[in-house]
Amino acid sequence: ARPTGVDDRQDARPTGVDASQLDGTVQVSEARDVGGIYVAEVKIRFVNSRGEAVDKKGKPIEGRISEDFIRGELKLKAGDNYSQDVVRSDLQQLQQLGLFDKVTVSTEEVGTDINVIYNVEERSARSFGVSASLSDDIGVAIPLSYIDRTLGTNPQRVSVEVQPSLRDLEYDVQFVSPYVAATDRLGYSVRTFRDRRTSDIFNDDIDLPNGNRVREIRMGANLAVTKPLGDWRGTLGLNYTNISTRDRNLKIARRDELGNPLTFSGTGVDELYTVSFGATLDRRNNPFNPTSGSILSLSTEQSIPLGQGNILSNKLLANYIRYVPMNLLGGGDSETLPEMLAINLQAGTVIGDLPPTEAFRLGGRNSVRGYDSGDIGSGRSYFLASGEYRFPVGTDVGGVLFVDFASDLGTGDSVLGQPASVRDKPGTGAGAGVGVRVRSRFGLIRFDVGVSDGGEIKFVLGTKQRF
């Protein structure tokens, strides 16, 4: 039924906005009270990467995904009162489906009412990638990747990454069936993996007795289920990970050249059987391209004393990100990367048994820029703080000024074998620098130049924002 009093609220109607003008934000004037505005219709409009609803021939873009399916995932229905909180919840649900690169929301006036339009940019049904790399560790490698988003019913997808090389075979295979709101169907995922890396805990000129650097081999599997819990989204997981320390030829290594143990079991192999639970509270205005709001993630992971090492521990993690809109440069249009202050705070600790390979690694491209990965320290606990001032430079180019800080909170000596202490890692470090963000047809590209508090300069080239 149409709500009463709508005709008396004509001054509160939002202004109609074309989809191409959006930028991941809900286009309703915050200066007006829009509560109670009657939603005449909820529309689904398919758009391209430029936000255009028509193709080069002027014809409406047709979507691969059924409009009825998308509409079924939305809480906002025709006949409801407009609510920004409901729209934000809808955007979160669409984002976790994994079907869309971007979704924005616009409105149009219909007499004294409004139509609400969800402008969706679909991801490709399938994608395949191949490249080549060369390193002194594994020689020539051929990374291959494949993603299929049409497996089974609409939201289900499978991703396969395989990297054969002269010395190893790495892989990461995952099947995801996300939570479906229309049927309240539990989301779940299954994953198996094998990963090889040169250790950034056992580094800095202290190697193995044979002169090789320490390699960490991780292989395992996990099963996770997910479901909304009120305003939070919860995930429960069962996990198995086999972690081994090896030389270049994959021979098991138990100790470094100073005689310090590399694993908790002392055999060169640790096994972790864990139960994990995580909860996320998302208050961002749009998870596809946030310009304001916050997101808080909390998790705990309890290990069960089985297998090599009989490890009994609990890992606690917290991650908070805040986006604060800024207007120091006088604003900009929707085509620019938005001006904002972005803040990230992280903390974590491990209670109980701690394999050295599971210590928190501080420093690197996703930690403190200006340091190489793990060069600040590896501890039982950690704290990390990062701040970025992001500002538009051109239509598809933005700039970033950033500051990073991390500390192991004095816990480096509590890690078995004291890998950070014997390698003279400081345990605390900071970095600052500048960066460039470029929108491209392949997504957001970032390039950062970080300077550590010790004067070292590091360059970072990657994709997506740091956080």
Side-chain angles (χ1 to χ4, degrees):
R2 180 185 177 89
T4 60
V6 171
D7 289 341
D8 298 327
R9 298 172 60 86
Q10 295 184 30
D11 61 334
R13 290 176 299 177
T15 303
V17 181
D18 182 77
S20 64
Q21 293 179 273
L22 302 174
D23 190 26
T25 58
V26 179
Q27 295 299 315
V28 175
S29 172
E30 296 181 358
R32 297 177 178 179
D33 178 14
V34 297
I37 294 298
Y38 182 81
V39 177
E41 186 178 358
V42 175
K43 296 182 178 181
I44 307 300
R45 179 160 59 191
F46 294 96
V47 299
N48 59 24
S49 60
R50 296 179 296 277
E52 300 166 345
V54 295
D55 59 22
K56 294 180 179 179
K57 297 181 179 180
K59 296 181 179 180
I61 294 175
E62 295 184 2
R64 168 177 53 86
I65 303 166
S66 164
E67 290 188 21
D68 289 339
F69 172 80
I70 299 173
R71 200 174 280 108
E73 295 302 293
L74 305 177
K75 291 182 179 179
L76 189 68
K77 307 294 184 184
D80 290 348
N81 294 339
Y82 183 89
S83 168
Q84 285 186 337
D85 289 339
V86 172
V87 169
R88 184 175 63 232
S89 176
D90 286 345
L91 291 171
Q92 292 170 13
Q93 172 60 17
L94 295 179
Q95 190 263 348
Q96 70 89 35
L97 289 174
L99 298 172
F100 310 106
D101 277 327
K102 186 177 180 181
V103 179
T104 60
V105 178
S106 56
T107 62
E108 60 184 9
E109 296 179 349
V110 183
T112 59
D113 308 325
I114 59 171
N115 289 336
V116 179
I117 306 167
Y118 288 77
N119 308 283
V120 298
E121 179 189 338
E122 291 179 303
R123 287 182 172 172
S124 58
R126 300 174 184 86
S127 60
F128 177 78
V130 59
S131 60
S133 63
L134 176 65
S135 74
D136 60 358
D137 179 28
I138 58 176
V140 177
I142 310 294
L144 306 169
S145 64
Y146 175 74
I147 301 177
D148 191 327
R149 298 183 178 89
T150 64
L151 191 68
T153 57
N154 263 328
Q156 294 177 333
R157 63 186 183 274
V158 63
S159 62
V160 179
E161 296 180 12
V162 180
Q163 180 173 287
S165 65
L166 296 178
R167 293 183 176 273
D168 215 326
L169 175 65
E170 301 174 59
Y171 58 84
D172 192 329
V173 181
Q174 185 174 35
F175 172 80
V176 179
S177 180
Y179 171 77
V180 177
T183 57
D184 196 28
R185 191 184 73 193
L186 195 70
Y188 67 93
S189 64
V190 181
R191 176 182 177 234
T192 182
F193 60 90
R194 188 179 192 278
D195 174 68
R196 169 177 175 152
R197 71 178 71 174
T198 301
S199 179
D200 47 17
I201 291 181
F202 306 108
N203 55 2
D204 290 348
D205 299 325
I206 298 180
D207 299 319
L208 296 174
N210 64 3
N212 284 183
R213 295 188 63 183
V214 179
R215 273 72 174 176
E216 295 178 19
I217 307 296
R218 294 171 182 264
M219 55 188 300
N222 56 55
L223 168 67
V225 294
T226 183
K227 182 179 176 64
L229 302 172
D231 291 337
W232 295 72
R233 185 174 297 274
T235 301
L236 179 67
L238 299 175
N239 316 284
Y240 168 75
T241 307
N242 178 296
I243 309 166
S244 59
T245 49
R246 301 172 182 261
D247 66 10
R248 186 180 185 185
N249 296 315
L250 298 185
K251 182 180 178 180
I252 289 288
R254 295 174 174 82
R255 297 181 178 273
D256 64 19
E257 61 182 318
L258 300 182
N260 298 308
L262 302 177
T263 59
F264 188 81
S265 67
T267 66
V269 180
D270 285 332
E271 291 183 293
L272 285 170
Y273 295 83
T274 68
V275 179
S276 59
F277 177 75
T280 300
L281 179 64
D282 195 342
R283 297 295 190 187
R284 297 173 295 178
N285 65 326
N286 190 319
F288 292 93
N289 186 27
T291 58
S292 65
S294 64
I295 180 170
L296 172 65
S297 299
L298 304 173
S299 69
T300 179
E301 185 173 6
Q302 177 66 49
S303 71
I304 303 169
L306 298 172
Q308 298 251 31
N310 286 311
I311 297 164
L312 178 61
S313 66
N314 187 273
K315 179 186 291 186
L316 300 170
L317 296 172
N319 190 347
Y320 177 76
I321 303 173
R322 180 77 183 182
Y323 302 97
V324 182
M326 304 289 284
N327 195 27
L328 300 180
L329 301 180
D333 61 44
S334 60
E335 295 300 314
T336 62
L337 291 163
E339 183 182 4
M340 71 173 81
L341 180 64
I343 301 168
N344 180 213
L345 302 176
Q346 299 179 31
T349 191
V350 175
I351 302 169
D353 301 333
L354 176 63
T357 53
E358 289 297 287
F360 295 108
R361 309 155 195 247
L362 304 179
R365 60 191 301 151
N366 292 315
S367 176
V368 177
R369 289 159 284 190
Y371 283 87
D372 284 329
S373 180
D375 277 359
I376 291 179
S378 49
R380 176 178 290 272
S381 303
Y382 86 104
F383 173 76
L384 171 67
S386 294
E388 293 188 350
Y389 170 56
R390 304 172 183 172
F391 54 94
V393 174
T395 301
D396 292 311
V397 180
V400 173
L401 303 176
F402 64 83
V403 177
D404 303 321
F405 169 83
S407 173
D408 66 5
L409 304 176
T411 63
D413 289 345
S414 66
V415 178
L416 182 66
Q418 300 182 354
S421 298
V422 299
R423 289 165 177 78
D424 295 322
K425 297 182 181 182
T428 298
V434 299
V436 176
R437 305 291 183 265
V438 179
R439 281 181 178 168
S440 74
R441 57 178 297 184
F442 306 106
L444 187 71
I445 298 173
R446 72 173 172 121
F447 176 71
D448 292 332
V449 180
V451 182
S452 72
D453 48 5
E456 293 289 325
I457 300 176
K458 302 294 180 182
F459 301 94
V460 176
L461 178 63
T463 59
K464 301 182 179 180
Q465 293 283 11
R466 158 76 170 73
F467 54 88

